[in-house]
Amino acid sequence: MKIFKGNSIDDDVPAGHPSIPRHASSAIAALAVFALCSFDVYADDGTAASSVAAPAAAASAAAASGVAAGGTSSTHTTKADRASRSATAAADDTVAIAAVPAPVPDDKPWLHQTLSLINSSLTRFGPYRTGNAYLEYEYFGSNGPFTLYGYVDALKVLNVGTTNTSGVWDKGAPIFSEQEPKVALDTLAGKDFELGPFKHIYLATDWIYEMGGSRSSAQNTVYMGLGTDIDTHTPLSLSANLYVNRQFQNYGSANEYSWDGYRFQMNYFYFLGHAMGGDWSYAGFFNYDFGSKLREEAGNGTYADNEFDETNALIYSRGHLRLVGVARYFHNGGQWDSSVLNFGSGNFQNRSTGWGYYLEAGYQWGK
């Protein structure tokens, strides 16, 4: 279940948190270190009175800007003009060098990972309202121009769920997964793209795969396109992607193995604050699928050419503990549209539009 996705995961600062840009903060830090460390104040006896205070102030300035944590710095000192001193005193003079602590390596892994048990209810990925308890491994992180996000679900792992669901233990689809890697093309080229509020150009993908035991229970869909970050000048982090849809397996639907429609996706994240010994955040996204020809290709009036889903998650994080509550809205889930359906066992009401819910408890580690 995708509940968090950010385009920039920057150390421990929540995505979208307003701060001085990296290039500006590095320049300010360099000037601060130079000013604090380049000149020693000498007392009347020629000793460097500031030889202790200057390194401490320099280290504080560097740590505040990230220089001490991961950058490099260069310091030097100058002698005061001591031409009036005697030759003997001048020979004994030494240059005081401000000692800057060596950079402290960041030994945290760049990938954040979570292993969770999730219970879903009233979800609407098709014409039925479904729910089950499943195990999920989720990861996300950024390294250079590359950003990774994805999850793998072991469905109905506790053999608990509604009668119209199946999973690991009852010959259903044991695995459902979604992977969303992307690369910042401007960063890869050594450039810095910025046009108004839009920052970076990503080559983005969204690959959805369900390992079904038969054609009617398997999905293999790839969305490919471009994405960008949107600077809101607030703590709210926004990103957007526009994809074209390449459909491979799709539960036996008429649009299998074809190019079929588009997807517009928005992702958002807002750090709420600290309470109850942990961090609280809001995360969400929506997918709007449009331009499909499934309704026309199926020819039976049971499908729609568009689909919309929107997810809202409240996240509590404390150390390795992660707790999440999710409300998700579905419209034409699975592109099912007709109000009444019949699969050979009589008419039933289509439930592909409405709200679904998730509760998650997980163990998290990494950055």
Side-chain angles (χ1 to χ4, degrees):
M1 173 184 61
K2 182 174 75 175
I3 60 171
F4 174 82
K5 193 164 77 81
N7 279 307
S8 59
I9 301 168
D10 187 10
D11 298 332
D12 295 323
V13 180
H17 189 76
S19 59
I20 299 174
R22 285 178 178 267
H23 57 83
S25 61
S26 299
I28 292 171
L31 289 174
V33 173
F34 181 87
L36 291 168
C37 301
S38 293
F39 299 98
D40 285 329
V41 178
Y42 284 84
D44 291 338
D45 60 357
T47 59
S50 65
S51 60
V52 174
S60 297
S65 66
V67 172
T72 58
S73 59
S74 174
T75 61
H76 66 277
T77 59
T78 61
K79 292 183 180 180
D81 182 10
R82 289 169 278 176
S84 62
R85 298 181 185 275
S86 65
T88 302
D92 292 334
D93 284 337
T94 58
V95 179
I97 305 298
V100 176
V104 178
D106 184 357
D107 58 355
K108 289 184 178 180
W110 63 272
L111 200 64
H112 184 280
Q113 302 172 80
T114 307
L115 188 63
S116 302
L117 184 63
I118 300 176
N119 183 72
S120 65
S121 61
L122 302 178
T123 54
R124 303 164 189 264
F125 295 100
Y128 302 111
R129 291 179 296 189
T130 61
N132 77 106
Y134 59 94
L135 187 68
E136 178 172 278
Y137 166 73
E138 182 188 39
Y139 64 90
F140 60 84
S142 295
N143 193 1
F146 301 100
T147 300
L148 298 180
Y149 174 83
Y151 62 88
V152 179
D153 296 340
L155 302 177
K156 209 175 179 182
V157 69
L158 300 181
N159 203 23
V160 174
T162 55
T163 56
N164 50 18
T165 62
S166 58
V168 175
W169 309 116
D170 49 8
K171 299 181 180 180
I175 296 297
F176 181 89
S177 68
E178 185 172 8
Q179 319 301 324
E180 299 188 33
K182 62 183 179 181
V183 57
L185 298 177
D186 55 324
T187 303
L188 195 65
K191 305 295 182 180
D192 187 14
F193 172 81
E194 184 173 338
L195 179 62
F198 303 106
K199 301 179 185 299
H200 297 299
I201 300 176
Y202 295 97
L203 179 61
T205 58
D206 185 353
W207 175 40
I208 300 171
Y209 177 74
E210 182 166 12
M211 183 191 297
S214 64
R215 181 183 176 189
S216 62
S217 61
Q219 181 185 13
N220 188 4
T221 303
V222 179
Y223 295 93
M224 298 171 283
L226 297 176
T228 188
D229 295 335
I230 303 172
D231 186 0
T232 65
H233 300 287
T234 73
L236 177 65
S237 174
L238 283 179
S239 67
N241 301 302
L242 181 61
Y243 302 112
V244 61
N245 175 21
R246 173 60 183 179
Q247 200 66 261
F248 295 96
Q249 292 171 292
N250 190 30
Y251 308 108
S253 298
N255 64 346
E256 287 190 329
Y257 301 99
S258 68
W259 296 94
D260 188 50
Y262 308 90
R263 165 171 286 188
F264 177 63
Q265 180 184 83
M266 288 284 293
N267 305 281
Y268 22 93
F269 177 85
Y270 190 90
F271 178 69
L272 299 174
H274 306 277
M276 300 173 60
D279 297 333
W280 293 84
S281 303
Y282 164 76
F285 68 95
F286 72 75
N287 296 318
Y288 175 54
D289 296 343
F290 62 98
S292 170
K293 300 299 182 184
L294 179 58
R295 183 182 185 90
E296 292 77 9
E297 292 173 358
N300 53 14
T302 60
Y303 290 101
D305 287 339
N306 61 78
E307 177 182 1
F308 177 83
D309 65 86
E310 199 264 342
T311 297
N312 304 276
L314 181 64
I315 305 170
Y316 173 76
S317 178
R318 180 177 181 177
H320 291 294
L321 174 67
R322 173 165 132 158
L323 302 175
V324 184
V326 176
R328 187 172 192 176
Y329 181 74
F330 300 83
H331 178 73
N332 295 341
Q335 292 185 237
W336 292 93
D337 188 27
S338 178
S339 59
V340 177
L341 298 170
N342 189 328
F343 293 160
S345 300
N347 292 343
F348 67 94
Q349 186 175 357
N350 176 24
R351 303 284 188 177
S352 63
T353 295
W355 287 91
Y357 306 94
Y358 302 82
L359 290 175
E360 171 186 345
Y363 178 87
Q364 60 184 357
W365 69 98
K367 193 150 188 162

